[in-house]
């Protein structure tokens, strides 16, 4: 079984500052890793994913994440945030086999202030 | 718009009533998933279809819940004898069936049980 822990429920940050949203996972097998963003009253949108290869993955809107197998982490970063980045961010895992059922963390609310 | 659509977007019902939600996946997608998201939590997997076959049901899906995907196209999720604890956002996602493929999410149906 897999589980995901997002270490911060809320992260307030000022515009143009850097941000890191933390995610740790637990699994007895290899996994795929994902970050999704949810804007108010909208569905989930994939920001980025790690399937294999380079441990640093780049996604949309200037976000990137680094897979650290030894620490079972997949932290999301952005060097300079905008007001429009205010949203809920979800880290998720799925197994490599089968139909890729997603297991989500509880989410981190990023609030960007002017 | 060729994304995943869900209907209705909002549903308010009284405890004990039956409700049915519909999901229309992206047309060529074989896989269809239902998730439930309660306030302050990440989405939780409910059930999965490959074409018309329902291949997995979460233990979260009690006997009051039933899902169908006739002809492998749209899907319906029915909740009988609703309870206040059923209040949540119900999300549908679809993907292609070969290997890893990104799940595309619909906007969700928000259910409020009074």
């Amino acid at each position: 079984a897999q589980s995901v822990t997002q270490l911060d429920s809320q992260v307030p940050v000022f515009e143009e500052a850097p941000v890191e949203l933390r995610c740790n996972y637990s699994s007895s097998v290899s996994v795929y890793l994902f970050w999704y963003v949810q804007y108010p009253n909208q569905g989930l949108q994939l920001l980025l994913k790690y399937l294999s290869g380079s441990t640093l993955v780049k996604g949309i809107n200037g976000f990137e994440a680094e897979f650290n197998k030894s620490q079972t982490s997949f932290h999301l970063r952005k060097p300079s945030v905008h007001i429009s980045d205010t949203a809920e961010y979800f880290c998720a895992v799925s197994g490599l086999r089968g139909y890729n059922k997603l297991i989500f963390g509880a989410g981190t609310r990023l609030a960007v202030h002017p | 718009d060729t994304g995943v659509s869900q209907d209705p977007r909002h549903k308010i019902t009284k405890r004990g009533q039956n409700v049915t939600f519909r999901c229309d996946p992206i047309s060529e997608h074989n896989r269809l998933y239902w998730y439930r998201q309660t306030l302050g939590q990440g989405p939780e997997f409910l059930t999965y279809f490959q074409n018309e076959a329902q291949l997995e049901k979460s233990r979260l899906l009690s006997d009051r819940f039933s899902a169908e995907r006739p002809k492998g196209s749209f899907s319906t999720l029915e909740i009988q004898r609703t309870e206040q604890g059923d209040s949540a956002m119900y999300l549908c996602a679809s993907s292609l069936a070969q290997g890893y493929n990104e799940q595309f999410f619909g906007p969700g149906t928000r259910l409020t049980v009074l």
Side-chain angles (χ1 to χ4, degrees):
Chain A
Q2 294 111 24
S3 66
V4 176
T5 302
Q6 291 185 242
L7 298 163
D8 306 291
S9 59
Q10 296 186 61
V11 173
V13 64
F14 288 109
E15 194 173 19
E16 297 183 6
V19 71
E20 178 179 81
L21 305 184
R22 297 180 294 168
C23 172
N24 286 94
Y25 69 93
S26 172
S27 178
S28 56
V29 299
S30 295
V31 294
Y32 296 139
L33 293 153
F34 309 86
W35 276 98
Y36 282 84
V37 60
Q38 188 175 36
Y39 298 104
N41 299 316
Q42 294 187 29
L44 293 163
Q45 180 182 5
L46 183 65
L47 268 182
L48 49 77
K49 61 183 180 287
Y50 172 78
L51 304 183
S52 65
S54 173
T55 56
L56 183 64
V57 293
K58 294 187 183 296
I60 61 172
N61 301 340
F63 283 93
E64 64 180 33
E66 185 156 18
F67 169 54
N68 187 319
K69 188 174 183 179
S70 63
Q71 296 187 3
T72 60
S73 67
F74 191 55
H75 301 332
L76 181 71
R77 302 185 182 100
K78 186 170 183 178
S80 176
V81 294
H82 303 288
I83 295 286
S84 59
D85 292 323
T86 294
E88 190 87 20
Y89 292 80
F90 294 96
C91 182
V93 302
S94 77
L96 271 59
R97 297 181 179 274
Y99 54 86
N100 307 125
K101 171 177 70 177
L102 291 167
I103 308 299
F104 287 88
T108 297
R109 177 163 296 280
L110 176 64
V112 182
H113 301 285
Chain B
D1 185 11
T2 58
V4 178
S5 61
Q6 292 187 245
D7 184 71
R9 294 290 306 276
H10 304 273
K11 178 71 177 179
I12 299 174
T13 191
K14 293 182 178 180
R15 188 175 53 188
Q17 298 295 304
N18 299 344
V19 295
T20 300
F21 310 141
R22 176 179 172 125
C23 170
D24 285 272
I26 293 171
S27 60
E28 64 269 26
H29 285 185
N30 312 90
R31 294 177 174 173
L32 187 145
Y33 313 76
W34 284 97
Y35 294 85
R36 180 173 68 186
Q37 184 179 16
T38 54
L39 204 60
Q41 297 299 316
E44 296 172 292
F45 170 79
L46 291 179
T47 191
Y48 158 72
F49 289 85
Q50 177 138 339
N51 300 313
E52 67 276 7
Q54 187 176 21
L55 298 184
E56 183 174 343
K57 291 172 58 174
S58 163
R59 55 186 168 79
L60 293 174
L61 219 61
S62 75
D63 291 344
R64 296 184 298 106
F65 288 71
S66 63
E68 295 181 342
R69 193 182 181 195
K71 303 178 183 178
S73 55
F74 71 91
S75 176
T76 58
L77 178 67
E78 181 183 14
I79 309 175
Q80 296 183 325
R81 305 181 303 282
T82 53
E83 302 173 355
Q84 289 186 325
D86 298 330
S87 295
M89 176 76 85
Y90 291 84
L91 297 167
C92 176
S94 70
S95 74
L96 292 169
Q98 291 76 32
Y100 163 76
N101 276 288
E102 178 183 346
Q103 292 183 33
F104 292 84
F105 282 81
T109 295
R110 181 168 295 283
L111 173 66
T112 302
V113 182
L114 302 176

